[in-house]
Amino acid sequence: MRKLSTKISFIILLGILIVACNAEKRVPVGKLLLTKNKILVNGKNTTEENVTNQIYQKPNGKLLGYPLRLNLYNLANLNPDSTYQAKFTANPKKYERKSKWLSAKQVNRLGKSFWYHGIHDFLKKTGEPPVIIDTIKSIKSVSRLKYYYFNNGYFKVKANYELDSLKPKRGEIRYTITTGKPYLLDTLKTSITTPVLDSLYNATKALSFLKTGTQFKTENFEEEKIRITTLFRNNGVYYFQPTYMNYDIDTIQKEDKANVNLIINNYSYQDQDSTKTKPFKRYKISDVNIYPDYTANNNSKPIKDSVSYKNFNLYSHEKLQYKPHAITDGIFINKGSYFADSKTVLTTRYLSNLKVFNYPIIQYEIDKRDTTSSSLIAKIYLTPRKKYSFGASADVTHSNIQDIGIAFSPTLSIRNLFKGAETLEISARANLGSSKDLANPKNQFFNVSEYGLDFKLNFPRIFMPFGTEKVIPKSMIPSTLIAIGFSRQTNIGLDKENFTGAFAYNWTPKKNNTARFDFLNAQFVRNLNPNNYFNVYGSSYNALNSIGKTYNIDATNLDSNGNLSIQNGTSAFTSDVINGKTALTTTDDEYKSVKSIEERRVRLTENSFILSTSFTFSKTTKTDLQDNTFYHVKTKIESAGSLLSMIARATDLHYNSNGNYELFNLEYSEYIKTEFDYIKHWDLTKEKVLAVRSFFGIAIPFGNSKNIPFSRSYFAGGSNDNRAWQPYSLGPGSSGATNDFNEANMKIALSAEFRFKILGQLKGALFADAGNIWNVLDNVTDEKYTFTSIKSLEKIALGTGFGLRYDLSFFIVRFDFGFKTFNPAYNSGQKWFKELNISKSVVNFGINYPF
């Protein structure tokens, strides 16, 4: 009986799928489902995006050649209400029975439930209705195609369409286009009535988008309009607008060539009932008036305080609350200079960046004191934000150690702290998280916690005892940041406290470029529970314990199970080995292993102090959130400890027993580090994006250090790195990730990802990640770990896989399934394709895209 019911269920399910997969299910009789658009240009097929975008109707979308959304739509009941009611109309007694059981109201409400109604709404919303061929839209598509080619210089273009019926309910449309020869620009002339405009144009004529001999393109004419308008309005021509420009294009005199005459008329204005014209004027700024406490309510109130400072006039309805330079430093509209849109934009940008005012209002009016009517008064209205403001944010977090976490952060902002437009932010943060990688003897879900406090003081200028205007002008919107912070982390492991401080300069050399110079960046890490090391780093303990079972000479080092006790037994046994009290000698592999384990334990449990100087530069071509064709590059160079070493040598400070300098009984770190990160995206249309990333980083210890602090080292694996490995589980080199948290001081990472839409807000991705970490120029000598030559690149690991992403608007939830395609830790002949199955896949959860 069970087998029979299983077969019946399978047949029913198969029948539903077959019916749903009938693509023509909802195509009306006599109509055709559009299956393909074929565009022939001069006899050749084209899929160029700019051309296909001219077509009004496009076939239903497909996933890997399968019309998934169409079939989901076909699975839906388009009229679930009628179907539900019809069930009772045909069988009234059924309605009576259900009404007695549930009540009439509940029976009616049942028809609105997810099973009867909601599931069909979901299928209709997620799915896609069939695209039915509409000849009217095909005719419109022909017109748009002709218009597109006409705007690209093909003035004699011809186009038509043909409908091919493939099956009774399927068809495709073939568009045929004959472009003819393109028209080229020939003679270029100008008719500019106002002499001052003619002079400005001729001075920049070489920058024109219109060149003799180039193909006619409408977009070049529009670009030229924008260029000329920008030129004039940045050189004092206040009243100029693009509407004053026209093109006279003559195609009659020559075959396949066009003569162009640029016409710019005089300024036109209304004088009572008549329209008059006169030559354009160039306007200069006669006064710059600033109202730093403007509101809509106090605009009519009298001015009570005013000051003139460096040709700027500040007027306040109450007592002036700002030092004049704090505001005037951000104003690029200068008395005596020509009016310029670019200066207005830059002033607005700078003042907004101060974060002490709302978006500024800048207006210009004719100065009636000037008898020539060629002067403007600039009026800048600034509405102060509240001096004190409180905000709070909550977030779902994810990191390389923390699988998921909940973060809460309240912030107090104090503006105009010293009356120089400074801002002070005091923020606290608290985080609870879960990590499966940490020691968790009580099996707690939330086994990671962190809380901290940060103070950030921002000055809207370069804070130096000497002027920097020639190197970093105020147009680069410079600022100085002074920050201190404290955090305490508890992760049922090596709990720690972190003290940080920074003195940094920020500026924007160009649009979309940022630069940061950390003059001083300090970090002190204090480990609170160093005796718990072997409980956290289980692999290190297992390796040491295995050696101890053979070479331990003191029974007090063992627990009741015959294992080295933590911490007394591990410490005593390690001391015995290193001091030569056991049978091991310095040439034995076991001796080297014990020494390596101890060196790593000391390194990861000792307190560390880093004082560094760094410079970071980044550039992006991304214009907005919708821009999917861009690149982003970031580079950084950092030097740590050199200043302290100079001071130590100058003060004749003595070395400690390790041959290193100490500061407050603590060896400080000394190294040089550099990084390069490059990201590139290509928009492949139809919500398909190809993204690539390359990263290289290296940190070289010297002087006072033989290795890099754990907090500044590199790791591999994880949701934002090589997704075929878990965080810290790849490398170094071909070592096979023998430690619990594997890190090194050099890293190479390369990633490529093809992103596409599946249905609705559900997106998919195919990816490949390559890279590894190595030890180089530090105290690690094992060849498996180190990068020795170009041949070490053979140890680059490769992971491939696929991902699913769901867009929740405010963030993207991401699941990536990675497969170890090339594993350098395996023996030769076993490295490729040994773990390409679902059971050995690595699932990485992430928030937002990896790059």
Side-chain angles (χ1 to χ4, degrees):
M1 186 66 184
R2 182 178 295 178
K3 289 184 178 179
L4 179 61
S5 62
T6 302
K7 289 181 180 179
I8 293 174
S9 300
F10 177 75
I11 292 171
I12 292 173
L13 179 61
L14 184 62
I16 291 173
L17 292 175
I18 290 173
V19 171
C21 290
N22 180 10
E24 302 94 6
K25 178 181 177 181
R26 302 198 185 280
V27 177
V29 176
K31 300 293 184 179
L32 296 175
L33 175 70
L34 179 61
T35 58
K36 186 179 181 181
N37 284 322
K38 190 174 183 180
I39 305 174
L40 296 174
V41 180
N42 298 325
K44 295 182 179 180
N45 186 48
T46 182
T47 56
E48 185 182 340
E49 179 187 1
N50 290 336
V51 179
T52 58
N53 282 345
Q54 310 307 316
I55 307 300
Y56 275 94
Q57 283 190 300
K58 296 179 181 179
N60 291 98
K62 294 182 179 180
L63 176 64
L64 303 176
Y66 178 73
L68 176 62
R69 295 187 65 200
L70 172 60
N71 287 325
L72 286 174
Y73 184 87
N74 286 341
L75 188 61
N77 185 341
L78 301 184
N79 299 294
D81 292 330
S82 300
T83 304
Y84 185 74
Q85 293 300 327
K87 180 169 62 172
F88 299 119
T89 303
N91 191 352
K93 290 184 178 181
K94 188 175 183 179
Y95 181 81
E96 292 176 6
R97 287 196 304 270
K98 284 208 171 188
S99 297
K100 289 179 182 179
W101 180 42
L102 293 174
S103 84
K105 187 176 181 180
Q106 287 178 320
V107 172
N108 293 333
R109 189 179 296 171
L110 184 63
K112 299 293 183 181
S113 66
F114 177 78
W115 182 252
Y116 286 99
H117 197 287
I119 189 171
H120 299 289
D121 289 340
F122 170 78
L123 290 171
K124 285 189 290 184
K125 183 178 179 181
T126 307
E128 181 182 42
V131 178
I132 308 300
I133 292 178
D134 185 340
T135 54
I136 294 176
K137 291 183 179 179
S138 299
I139 293 170
K140 288 182 178 180
S141 296
V142 169
S143 298
R144 286 182 65 173
L145 286 167
K146 290 175 69 175
Y147 186 71
Y148 169 78
Y149 280 99
F150 186 91
N151 282 332
N152 281 277
Y154 299 98
F155 296 159
K156 298 176 182 179
V157 62
K158 296 178 181 180
N160 57 58
Y161 81 95
E162 292 180 11
L163 175 60
D164 291 338
S165 235
L166 304 175
K167 289 182 180 180
K169 286 191 174 184
R170 295 194 182 202
E172 71 174 35
I173 300 177
R174 183 169 64 252
Y175 295 92
T176 304
I177 302 160
T178 305
T179 62
K181 289 184 179 181
Y183 275 70
L184 305 179
L185 301 185
D186 193 24
T187 304
L188 303 177
K189 297 191 302 181
T190 59
S191 299
I192 304 176
T193 311
T194 302
V196 67
L197 299 192
D198 189 51
S199 298
L200 286 172
Y201 173 82
N202 286 319
T204 61
K205 191 175 181 180
L207 302 176
S208 174
F209 286 90
L210 306 178
K211 305 285 185 182
T212 298
T214 59
Q215 185 173 331
F216 178 98
K217 289 188 177 181
T218 301
E219 64 179 17
N220 288 342
F221 285 81
E222 295 302 319
E223 290 287 346
E224 181 66 1
K225 269 191 175 184
I226 294 171
R227 185 190 74 84
I228 293 173
T229 302
T230 303
L231 170 68
F232 291 165
R233 288 189 61 83
N234 282 338
N235 283 276
V237 191
Y238 177 66
Y239 284 111
F240 188 82
Q241 296 295 331
T243 52
Y244 287 103
M245 295 174 58
N246 292 293
Y247 295 104
D248 181 16
I249 301 172
D250 181 10
T251 60
I252 299 175
Q253 297 182 14
K254 296 180 181 179
E255 182 71 17
D256 302 331
K257 290 186 178 181
N259 296 326
V260 179
N261 184 26
L262 169 64
I263 302 171
I264 301 179
N265 297 313
N266 278 338
Y267 171 61
S268 62
Y269 62 98
Q270 201 71 22
D271 186 5
Q272 295 182 352
D273 294 333
S274 60
T275 301
K276 296 184 178 181
T277 62
K278 63 180 180 181
F280 281 97
K281 290 182 181 179
R282 296 177 72 187
Y283 287 83
K284 285 189 174 182
I285 306 299
S286 57
D287 271 318
V288 181
N289 298 335
I290 307 165
Y291 303 88
D293 63 348
Y294 166 81
T295 64
N297 296 328
N298 70 5
N299 191 33
S300 58
K301 292 182 180 180
I303 300 297
K304 294 183 179 180
D305 194 5
S306 63
V307 64
S308 293
Y309 178 80
K310 293 185 177 180
N311 290 325
F312 296 100
N313 305 314
L314 287 85
Y315 299 100
S316 180
H317 298 286
E318 302 295 338
K319 182 173 176 60
L320 189 62
Q321 298 296 317
Y322 304 89
K323 295 176 182 178
H325 75 84
I327 298 176
T328 59
D329 281 353
I331 296 176
F332 301 88
I333 305 165
N334 297 312
K335 183 177 181 178
S337 65
Y338 282 111
F339 160 82
D341 272 341
S342 60
K343 293 181 179 179
T344 305
V345 171
L346 188 57
T347 299
T348 300
R349 184 175 162 217
Y350 190 107
L351 293 173
S352 297
N353 200 64
L354 289 177
K355 298 179 181 179
V356 297
F357 299 109
N358 292 334
Y359 194 81
I361 300 171
I362 301 178
Q363 297 176 347
Y364 296 90
E365 63 179 42
I366 300 295
D367 189 349
K368 296 179 180 179
R369 299 170 298 181
D370 184 1
T371 56
T372 64
S373 298
S374 58
S375 297
L376 295 173
I377 298 175
K379 293 187 174 182
I380 302 172
Y381 298 94
L382 303 174
T383 302
R385 296 185 183 183
K386 292 181 180 179
K387 186 176 182 67
Y388 301 95
S389 65
F390 179 82
S393 64
D395 199 5
V396 177
T397 61
H398 170 75
S399 68
N400 297 302
I401 290 293
Q402 184 176 267
D403 300 314
I404 191 168
I406 301 172
F408 175 72
S409 178
T411 301
L412 173 66
S413 297
I414 306 175
R415 299 180 178 89
N416 196 34
L417 188 63
F418 307 118
K419 294 190 175 184
E422 305 87 359
T423 56
L424 173 64
E425 285 189 3
I426 305 172
S427 60
R429 64 183 186 276
N431 180 77
L432 279 177
S434 175
S435 174
K436 63 178 180 291
D437 294 322
L438 300 178
N440 194 359
K442 296 182 180 180
N443 199 30
Q444 295 174 289
F445 179 76
F446 288 111
N447 58 342
V448 176
S449 66
E450 182 178 0
Y451 61 86
L453 188 65
D454 295 293
F455 295 84
K456 295 180 181 179
L457 178 60
N458 190 78
F459 296 87
R461 64 194 70 88
I462 296 294
F463 204 69
M464 276 191 178
F466 51 87
T468 59
E469 179 69 20
K470 291 183 178 180
V471 181
I472 306 175
K474 65 179 185 177
S475 59
M476 293 184 181
I477 315 183
S479 64
T480 302
L481 175 67
I482 300 175
I484 58 173
F486 164 79
S487 66
R488 183 185 176 104
Q489 181 184 14
T490 303
N491 55 18
I492 313 182
L494 300 179
D495 308 336
K496 60 184 64 178
E497 291 178 340
N498 192 24
F499 300 85
T500 58
F503 190 95
Y505 303 107
N506 297 277
W507 66 96
T508 55
K510 292 181 181 179
K511 184 179 179 180
N512 296 325
N513 292 6
T514 60
R516 173 172 173 142
F517 175 60
D518 281 70
F519 179 66
L520 291 175
N521 191 306
Q523 180 184 33
F524 171 61
V525 179
R526 178 171 172 253
N527 289 295
L528 303 178
N529 198 7
N531 292 336
N532 201 35
Y533 175 82
F534 284 113
N535 285 324
V536 177
Y537 293 87
S539 61
S540 294
Y541 173 77
N542 292 336
L544 184 66
N545 188 52
S546 177
I547 299 171
K549 285 182 178 295
T550 304
Y551 295 99
N552 179 55
I553 58 173
D554 189 347
T556 61
N557 294 339
L558 305 178
D559 60 19
S560 58
N561 296 319
N563 297 316
L564 292 175
S565 61
I566 302 174
Q567 165 78 25
N568 294 333
T570 53
S571 296
F573 173 68
T574 300
S575 177
D576 288 343
V577 171
I578 293 176
N579 292 322
K581 294 181 181 180
T582 67
L584 293 173
T585 64
T586 56
T587 59
D588 292 327
D589 290 339
E590 291 85 351
Y591 177 93
K592 294 176 181 177
S593 295
V594 172
K595 186 178 179 182
S596 176
I597 291 171
E598 177 62 9
E599 287 177 349
R600 180 174 171 80
R601 185 196 68 80
V602 170
R603 175 170 168 252
L604 296 184
T605 59
E606 67 182 355
N607 300 333
S608 63
F609 178 67
I610 304 169
L611 182 65
S612 65
T613 299
S614 65
F615 175 76
T616 306
F617 175 81
S618 66
K619 177 181 179 180
T620 182
T621 59
K622 189 177 180 71
T623 55
D624 53 52
L625 292 175
Q626 305 304 318
D627 186 4
N628 284 322
T629 298
F630 68 93
Y631 72 84
H632 174 87
V633 62
K634 181 179 180 180
T635 185
K636 179 180 180 179
I637 185 167
E638 176 184 0
S639 175
S642 298
L643 178 62
L644 295 176
S645 290
M646 290 174 59
I647 295 173
R649 286 191 289 269
T651 56
D652 198 22
L653 195 67
H654 296 293
Y655 293 111
N656 63 11
S657 58
N658 295 326
N660 294 325
Y661 292 118
E662 286 187 351
L663 184 67
F664 305 117
N665 295 320
L666 182 67
E667 290 185 8
Y668 58 84
S669 299
E670 188 170 9
Y671 61 86
I672 188 166
K673 182 179 183 180
T674 186
E675 295 177 349
F676 178 81
D677 195 3
Y678 178 79
I679 297 172
K680 173 69 176 174
H681 285 207
W682 291 272
D683 191 338
L684 305 180
T685 73
K686 298 180 180 178
E687 298 191 61
K688 297 184 182 71
V689 174
L690 176 63
V692 298
R693 181 195 183 195
S694 61
F695 176 87
F696 174 77
I698 185 171
I700 302 173
F702 66 96
N704 216 54
S705 297
K706 293 183 176 63
N707 50 54
I708 301 299
F710 184 84
S711 61
R712 301 298 172 94
S713 59
Y714 298 108
F715 69 93
S719 62
N720 296 322
D721 196 70
N722 197 318
R723 286 161 281 185
W725 279 263
Q726 293 289 357
Y728 294 93
S729 65
L730 171 60
S734 59
S735 64
T738 55
N739 297 308
D740 296 274
F741 296 93
N742 298 275
E743 40 76 40
N745 63 324
M746 175 179 162
K747 178 175 181 176
I748 296 175
L750 303 165
S751 292
E753 183 170 280
F754 174 63
R755 300 167 184 166
F756 53 88
K757 180 178 180 179
I758 298 177
L759 54 88
Q761 299 303 314
L762 181 63
K763 313 293 174 65
L766 300 174
F767 61 82
D769 300 321
N772 208 334
I773 56 173
W774 292 268
N775 290 94
V776 59
L777 301 176
D778 62 1
N779 61 344
V780 177
T781 57
D782 192 325
E783 290 187 1
K784 290 182 177 181
Y785 290 74
T786 57
F787 190 96
T788 55
S789 66
I790 197 71
K791 194 175 180 181
S792 297
L793 294 177
E794 295 176 354
K795 300 175 184 178
I796 286 181
L798 174 64
T800 56
F802 63 93
L804 296 173
R805 293 87 193 274
Y806 194 85
D807 191 347
L808 295 173
S809 297
F810 46 95
F811 67 85
I812 293 171
V813 177
R814 173 167 54 93
F815 289 94
D816 288 322
F817 301 82
F819 302 87
K820 296 179 178 64
T821 309
F822 178 82
N823 192 339
Y826 288 169
N827 294 327
S828 181
Q830 301 293 316
K831 300 177 185 289
W832 285 98
F833 309 117
K834 289 299 178 182
E835 298 178 77
L836 285 181
N837 59 72
I838 292 294
S839 64
K840 294 187 178 181
S841 65
V842 175
V843 181
N844 276 293
F845 168 77
I847 301 295
N848 294 326
Y849 288 114
F851 52 88

